[in-house]
Amino acid sequence: MLEGVADLNLSDCYGKVGVPRQLVITKDPLSIPDAVTKAGLTLPLVAKPLVVDGSAKSHELSLAYDQFSLSKLNPPLVLQEFVNHGGVLFKVYIVGEMIKVMRRFSLPDVNKHEILNNAGVFRVPRVSCAAASADDVDLDPVIAELPPRPLLERLGRDLRRRLGLRLFNIDMIREHGMRDRYYVIDINYFPGYGKMPGYEHIFTDFLLSLVQSKYKRRLSNS
């Protein structure tokens, strides 16, 4: 699904959207350091389980700081370059044509000193739960500013068409120090909408619109 984002051309929509460089590892943890070197990925790397089945384990994240420790990871997994983003991510919920954006606290930025002085793989907490909301917190306006609405509308529309989905959400970050540079780090189909304020009315309106659309097609065909 992230490959679909990489293929989009959104340069004329108040910002640029990309995907952090990533690598899929399916087996043999001892081969990971060489695979990372050949792919040209830059440490630190976020390690995500390849299979997401709704369990707590499937949402576990790890941050790998050095090449040697990569062989301690447990495939299958996805390795993704970590992008500093001010410790805030944007949860973009898509329900049909509707778009709702919420701020969530995320992993803190990593500086050069930490990269040089940290070694190993560190388990990090799940960062996108409702308790981690950053919507009502006094943040740096540059970090807290939501992505431009036209950019989100274009991204949502193009992904709906490419993925064939009407119910999904996007985890999106803004590169720290780059006001118009965004990355999509995850896409979830049929996510837990209970975390989205007002989801009952939004979801009901979406279902009603589907029924009405189907009814109009029947009338036009009769």
Side-chain angles (χ1 to χ4, degrees):
M1 289 192 287
L2 288 176
E3 288 176 355
V5 177
D7 293 336
L8 299 179
N9 181 13
L10 304 175
S11 58
D12 58 342
C13 295
Y14 305 93
K16 298 179 180 179
V17 180
V19 176
R21 292 192 298 175
Q22 56 185 8
L23 179 66
V24 175
I25 304 293
T26 58
K27 55 185 178 180
D28 190 11
L30 295 178
S31 69
I32 297 178
D34 285 341
V36 167
T37 300
K38 289 179 181 178
L41 298 188
T42 302
L43 295 163
L45 298 174
V46 179
K48 306 178 180 182
L50 186 60
V51 178
V52 179
D53 58 8
S55 66
K57 187 175 180 60
S58 70
H59 291 286
E60 289 180 352
L61 299 178
S62 298
L63 197 60
Y65 279 93
D66 68 288
Q67 197 88 354
F68 174 76
S69 299
L70 292 173
S71 58
K72 299 178 182 179
L73 296 170
N74 296 315
L77 50 80
V78 178
L79 295 176
Q80 192 176 80
E81 286 188 335
F82 180 79
V83 178
N84 281 338
H85 53 283
V88 171
L89 68 79
F90 305 103
K91 300 285 290 187
V92 184
Y93 290 93
I94 311 290
V95 184
E97 302 291 327
M98 192 284 307
I99 297 175
K100 184 90 171 179
V101 189
M102 301 185 67
R103 299 179 191 87
R104 290 279 186 268
F105 284 117
S106 181
L107 302 179
D109 289 350
V110 176
N111 58 44
K112 292 182 179 179
H113 176 78
E114 290 175 307
I115 295 174
L116 293 174
N117 290 277
N118 283 331
V121 175
F122 296 86
R123 185 74 53 83
V124 294
R126 187 177 177 186
V127 296
S128 61
C129 61
S133 174
D135 280 326
D136 300 321
V137 179
D138 186 17
L139 297 170
D140 181 339
V142 175
I143 294 175
E145 182 183 5
L146 296 176
R149 192 74 187 182
L151 179 69
L152 295 177
E153 290 175 349
R154 172 74 178 278
L155 179 62
R157 183 174 66 250
D158 287 359
L159 285 178
R160 277 197 304 269
R161 186 182 71 251
R162 282 178 175 269
L163 302 177
L165 298 174
R166 297 183 182 181
L167 300 170
F168 61 99
N169 80 348
I170 303 165
D171 287 349
M172 193 173 185
I173 59 174
R174 177 193 294 112
E175 185 174 354
H176 191 49
M178 304 289 288
R179 188 172 184 179
D180 63 349
R181 181 62 174 168
Y182 300 90
Y183 290 90
V184 174
I185 59 173
D186 209 354
I187 300 176
N188 305 293
Y189 56 88
F190 201 63
Y193 285 101
K195 303 172 186 176
M196 182 178 69
Y199 77 92
E200 300 97 333
H201 298 293
I202 293 171
F203 209 79
T204 301
D205 289 344
F206 167 68
L207 294 176
L208 287 173
S209 70
L210 291 181
V211 174
Q212 292 167 356
S213 176
K214 187 174 182 180
Y215 180 69
K216 289 179 180 178
R217 286 199 302 269
R218 284 184 176 180
L219 287 179
S220 62
N221 292 332
S222 61

